[in-house]
Amino acid sequence: MTDDLDQELEERGLGRYERFRGDHPIVVKGLVNRFGEQTVHEDLSLTVNRGEILGVVGGSGTGKSVLMRSIIGLQTPNEGEIEVFGRSMTNAEPDENLGIRNRWGVLFQGGALFSTLTVGENVEVPLKQFYPEIEPDLMHEIARYKVMLSGLPEDAVTKYPAELSGGMKKRAGLARALALDPELLFLDEPTAGLDPIGAAAFDRLTRELKQTLGLTVFLITHDLDTLYEICDRVAVLADKKVIAVGTIPELLETDHPWIEEYFNGPRGRAAQASKRRAESMDKRGQSGD
Ligand SMILES: Nc1ncnc2c1ncn2[C@@H]1O[C@H](COP(=O)(O)OP(=O)(O)OP(=O)(O)O)[C@@H](O)[C@H]1O
């Protein structure tokens, strides 16, 4: 990049930055969110470790999406403190956070693609927003690369969302979330609505991307297989707060009735059995049996 461009980006708060080296890219303390009479979060705290896939679970309406929206600045909390990459998100003006917002990517529920744009053009939206000076040819090339990184065929670049299957739409949304080479990835129910094979493939892709790109992933899900297969830790939302965070074996040691019911109910047991089967097949494969 030229010195002029470097300077311009610096002035817009988008200058070069070091990747976050601290232990906790997200720290939430004492979060309160209310809508009218309804209190969704009351004194909620959560710390996310760098490099982990954190699964966020909880009953419907417990405020998982509101928590994610608070962290990415789409919801202004009533009280509390949120730090992303060590910088306060709660006391800053939106413009001050430009240099933080280009360091995360978000896959919203349902993909949230622009239906009048092709997949490639969808991926270019954040690039144009943050880096309008990139030449069109390079922009197309970056978009094409992100589409393929997300496991879509190259010709998906010129397709419209309506021409894609549900699983392909998710991957297109993921390609857009990866547009700016994020360090943090937010996924809101990425496998909802996918068949089990498509969901397992999406899980594998998430894990591979985490490893190859060094991502930290905040993953809201109801999918027990996803929790067992790819999450390093799981945070449980209930009673307006995060009532427990840990590995699944650690969570099973708590005696909260919701956690017990969730992981040891019929679906939880099926997911455990499927994980055990996969592990024993892996072992057999490794020993050449
Ligand atoms: N903008 C808003 N205005 C009013 N109420 C809202 C708003 N956004 C969310 N809520 C309410 O906050 C609560 C939590 O919503 P949220 O979408 O975070 O739940 P969730 O845990 O993600 O649920 P689900 O698992 O069903 O997606 C719900 O009762 C919802 O109706």
Side-chain angles (χ1 to χ4, degrees):
M1 274 197 259
T2 65
D3 290 348
D4 283 353
L5 183 52
D6 269 349
Q7 193 182 339
E8 190 190 321
L9 291 174
E10 199 69 54
E11 282 164 10
R12 285 166 39 209
L14 293 170
R16 291 178 190 193
Y17 51 82
E18 295 287 314
R19 278 179 76 90
F20 180 70
R21 293 278 160 237
D23 292 332
H24 306 302
I26 302 175
V27 178
V28 179
K29 286 185 203 150
L31 187 72
V32 177
N33 271 306
R34 293 193 197 95
F35 296 105
E37 298 284 288
Q38 183 192 10
T39 300
V40 177
H41 299 135
E42 183 76 64
D43 197 21
L44 179 152
S45 296
L46 176 67
T47 299
V48 181
N49 297 333
R50 178 161 58 92
E52 74 175 347
I53 300 184
L54 179 77
V56 178
V57 301
S60 207
T62 46
K64 302 178 291 297
S65 299
V66 172
L67 172 60
M68 184 183 97
R69 292 169 61 82
S70 303
I71 297 170
I72 61 177
L74 295 178
Q75 166 76 40
T76 307
N78 297 82
E79 287 174 43
E81 175 59 29
I82 296 172
E83 279 178 21
V84 179
F85 302 128
R87 295 238 315 251
S88 171
M89 301 300 294
T90 21
N91 300 318
E93 293 297 316
D95 275 0
E96 288 180 58
N97 288 332
L98 262 193
I100 299 276
R101 284 198 283 130
N102 68 337
R103 294 169 66 182
W104 67 55
V106 187
L107 173 59
F108 289 100
Q109 259 184 58
L113 296 167
F114 296 107
S115 59
T116 55
L117 302 181
T118 64
V119 169
E121 288 163 349
N122 264 284
V123 178
E124 288 181 23
V125 169
L127 290 165
K128 285 182 176 149
Q129 182 190 355
F130 285 94
Y131 303 102
E133 55 287 319
I134 296 179
E135 296 291 331
D137 281 352
L138 179 57
M139 191 97 60
H140 303 331
E141 192 54 30
I142 296 171
R144 197 180 63 86
Y145 167 69
K146 302 294 174 177
V147 167
M148 292 172 70
L149 189 65
S150 302
L152 286 169
E154 198 175 347
D155 66 1
V157 174
T158 53
K159 295 215 159 104
Y160 286 89
E163 299 174 272
L164 305 178
S165 70
M168 291 171 88
K169 276 189 197 132
K170 302 265 184 185
R171 285 171 189 259
L174 182 64
R176 191 176 60 189
L178 295 173
L180 300 172
D181 293 334
E183 291 166 66
L184 248 179
L185 186 61
F186 293 90
L187 305 176
D188 194 350
E189 300 200 30
T191 57
L194 299 187
D195 67 79
I197 294 171
F202 198 95
D203 283 345
R204 277 197 301 279
L205 176 65
T206 306
R207 185 170 52 201
E208 280 162 21
L209 289 173
K210 174 211 132 165
Q211 280 159 354
T212 46
L213 306 178
L215 299 169
T216 302
V217 183
F218 180 101
L219 189 163
I220 298 175
T221 189
H222 288 287
D223 188 331
L224 278 151
D225 287 325
T226 303
L227 296 176
Y228 275 100
E229 288 301 324
I230 64 165
C231 292
D232 298 295
R233 294 192 308 153
V234 177
V236 182
L237 261 73
D239 310 329
K240 304 185 174 62
K241 22 174 93 67
V242 174
I243 55 162
V245 194
T247 61
I248 295 177
E250 284 165 358
L251 292 180
L252 286 170
E253 282 173 20
T254 64
D255 54 8
H256 193 282
W258 191 88
I259 296 177
E260 170 71 16
E261 166 93 34
Y262 189 70
F263 288 101
N264 279 333
R267 282 165 181 260
R269 287 201 306 273
Q272 282 176 51
S274 137
K275 165 103 176 145
R276 276 198 299 272
R277 266 197 310 278
E279 282 170 353
S280 90
M281 277 164 72
D282 271 358
K283 272 196 201 127
R284 281 213 298 273
Q286 278 162 18
S287 65
D289 290 351

